[in-house]
Amino acid sequence: MKAFLTGAVVALGLLPRIALAQNGTSPFCLQTAAGAKCAYMTMAECERARGNSSASQCITQADAKGATGLGEPPGAPPGIPAGQ
């Protein structure tokens, strides 16, 4: 029981960090160590905000969310639909 409570407290402590991992709904995001700030309508706008920082990177919102859109499960051979 004590281990369960400790795990629950740790999980609840991580919730604010997860919420900070990505904010905004624009199509382009500035990825930093603190998370992704999706506040840019164009990649050029994001790059201007990034400046010369090598610790940050401009990415699409889909990349920030981890959605690749490939539609095939990992390990599936290319060109063969899943389940065949």
Side-chain angles (χ1 to χ4, degrees):
M1 182 68 171
K2 186 177 180 181
F4 173 75
L5 290 176
T6 301
V9 169
V10 169
L12 288 174
L14 293 176
L15 285 178
R17 291 181 187 181
I18 293 169
L20 289 175
Q22 178 189 345
N23 58 36
T25 58
S26 296
F28 296 95
C29 310
L30 183 59
Q31 177 73 43
T32 65
K37 178 182 177 186
C38 299
Y40 307 99
M41 294 307 292
T42 66
M43 182 65 82
E45 185 181 345
C46 180
E47 290 291 341
R48 281 192 299 275
R50 177 177 166 253
N52 291 330
S53 173
S54 62
S56 61
Q57 166 181 352
C58 291
I59 59 176
T60 65
Q61 187 184 58
D63 287 337
K65 289 182 177 181
T68 61
L70 295 176
E72 293 187 19
I80 299 175
Q84 290 188 351

